[in-house]
Amino acid sequence: MSLGPVMLDIAGMELSVNDRARLSHPLVGGVILFARNYASPAQLVELTAAIHALRIPPLLIAVDQEGGRVQRFREGFTRLPAMRELGAAWDRHPHQARQLAWQTGYVSASELKACGVDLSFAPVLDLDYGQSCVIGDRAFHRKPQAVAELTHDLMRGMKAAGMMAVGKHFPGHGAIQADTHVETAVDRRPYVDIKMADLIPFRQMIGYGLHGIMAAHVIYPQVDTYPAGFSRVWLQDVLRQTLCFEGCIFSDDLSMQATHSYGSIEQRARQALQAGCDMVLVCNDTEASDQLLNSLPWELSATSMARLARIRGERAKYAWSRLHESEQFIRAVKAISAIAA
């Protein structure tokens, strides 16, 4: 059985009978975990082992572990700084900030890998325009070059721990105030303005070898009438052709309010996959998940399957019990704890 194109969530800290049945469906290819799924590193190791044991090849396990206010696993994990703190450090001392970014990526990915998590949806590549209610301090900086440099080193740190990076939210979510979780978001800027600012970190990170990108649910009407994650213009013409991205494209959560005017969950998933997404996320709505699995006939292309295989990354360098014996890990934790306090 190969991986399917749908990533789902689960309800609790262990797999229920319904979870096992749902995750065994051939359309499912991954699981995204939330704070409700976590109690301790030991519990997380057991949960991820149970998920991975369900299928061959194992399902991908993902989480949003960016740092700051978006860190799903906290107790027992290193506290990660908000990425804006790294941007502030870059203003004072760019070289030191890049080292901190590397250490942040390394610590985050090392802890997740040691607990059986395959990837974190990070880093945020959105620019910090100072007005987005949902991005805010999740963004590194207002300057595109600062974002590109810091996220490059964070990605390098993640890769050193065996984890691939997933940049988000393409082509840029930072210039609007609206939160796509609860409302429609529209960015009315012309393409040239986006190209000369927001796309720069994406372009440079692709050149550095970025393996994954998550598309925004934002509408850019000067470019296309569809949100970026449903748009062949953005995903095929711009991302694949112009920017030459060959990695894995993830949709943002198709249960978010910004997608509801685009039909049933099946119609939304079909639009996202036809536009160019390799995997779609459906979270916090078991009714929609079941409806989708019962109605969406879809097989991943060989190209998408290869992309998903690469995004899994490498095996963990250390088990959780051995991780905190590593001198490199200990030094990195001390460095980032100073700015995350």
Side-chain angles (χ1 to χ4, degrees):
M1 179 185 294
S2 61
L3 295 180
V6 179
M7 178 173 281
L8 302 178
D9 61 332
I10 58 175
M13 297 181 187
E14 58 185 27
L15 293 179
S16 67
V17 173
N18 287 339
D19 289 330
R20 291 177 180 274
R22 195 175 287 118
L23 298 182
S24 297
H25 193 286
L27 284 176
V28 177
V31 181
I32 181 169
L33 301 179
F34 292 91
R36 66 173 181 269
N37 305 124
Y38 178 77
S40 69
Q43 170 269 330
L44 182 59
V45 169
E46 291 186 6
L47 175 60
T48 58
I51 294 171
H52 281 148
L54 286 174
R55 301 266 293 271
I56 299 176
L59 296 170
L60 286 167
I61 301 177
V63 68
D64 290 310
Q65 190 83 342
E66 301 169 14
R69 57 193 165 93
V70 182
Q71 180 172 342
R72 306 305 188 199
F73 309 147
R74 293 182 178 271
E75 187 67 30
F77 272 69
T78 301
R79 182 179 177 184
L80 303 174
M83 296 302 99
R84 183 183 281 167
E85 294 299 322
L86 294 176
W90 189 88
D91 287 333
R92 298 188 298 270
H93 197 305
H95 178 76
Q96 183 180 36
R98 293 185 63 171
Q99 177 65 15
L100 285 168
W102 189 97
Q103 292 167 321
T104 300
Y106 180 75
V107 167
S108 175
S110 294
E111 291 184 331
L112 292 173
K113 278 286 187 177
C115 288
V117 177
D118 297 302
L119 69 152
S120 174
F121 288 126
V124 168
L125 300 181
D126 306 311
L127 302 184
D128 185 4
Y129 286 93
Q131 61 186 32
S132 174
C133 63
V134 67
I135 301 300
D137 63 0
R138 297 165 66 190
F140 287 76
H141 207 278
R142 171 63 180 84
K143 295 179 180 178
Q145 191 59 38
V147 175
E149 290 185 12
L150 290 169
T151 54
H152 180 206
D153 282 284
L154 187 129
M155 178 176 73
R156 290 177 56 247
M158 293 173 71
K159 189 173 182 179
M163 181 175 287
M164 301 296 103
V166 180
K168 60 187 183 185
H169 305 80
F170 179 81
H173 199 317
I176 54 171
Q177 186 174 7
D179 180 354
T180 51
H181 292 85
V182 296
E183 58 188 322
T184 300
V186 180
D187 186 336
R188 301 189 182 280
R189 292 177 299 161
Y191 175 72
V192 66
D193 288 356
I194 300 169
K195 176 184 177 181
M196 298 304 293
D198 302 65
L199 285 185
I200 291 175
F202 288 97
R203 181 185 299 110
Q204 294 199 23
M205 285 289 280
I206 290 167
Y208 294 143
L210 182 66
H211 279 76
I213 282 178
M214 177 176 282
H217 285 325
V218 178
I219 302 169
Y220 306 84
Q222 298 290 329
V223 179
D224 196 4
T225 57
Y226 291 99
F230 293 168
S231 168
R232 290 186 62 88
V233 176
W234 279 115
L235 300 188
Q236 298 295 331
D237 298 348
V238 178
L239 186 54
R240 292 290 189 208
Q241 300 300 319
T242 302
L243 301 183
C244 301
F245 179 63
E246 297 180 354
C248 191
I249 301 177
F250 295 88
S251 81
D252 208 340
D253 179 11
L254 296 184
S255 298
M256 290 162 64
Q257 187 64 40
T259 70
H260 284 193
S261 61
Y262 293 89
S264 67
I265 190 63
E266 178 191 2
Q267 292 169 320
R268 283 174 257 162
R270 187 180 298 278
Q271 287 180 76
L273 291 167
Q274 289 177 339
C277 289
D278 298 293
M279 179 167 277
V280 297
L281 278 68
V282 181
C283 312
N284 302 311
D285 190 338
T286 54
E287 183 178 348
S289 298
D290 290 338
Q291 179 184 343
L292 178 61
L293 297 182
N294 290 329
S295 60
L296 180 67
W298 196 274
E299 291 186 7
L300 277 176
S301 67
T303 302
S304 287
M305 286 191 284
R307 290 172 184 148
L308 290 170
R310 289 194 297 269
I311 202 76
R312 188 184 299 278
E314 302 172 4
R315 295 186 63 177
K317 292 181 64 175
Y318 302 98
W320 184 267
S321 59
R322 297 287 306 278
L323 180 61
H324 297 81
E325 299 173 6
S326 163
E327 291 185 7
Q328 183 179 42
F329 180 82
I330 292 169
R331 287 196 302 270
V333 168
K334 287 181 179 178
I336 66 175
S337 294
I339 63 169

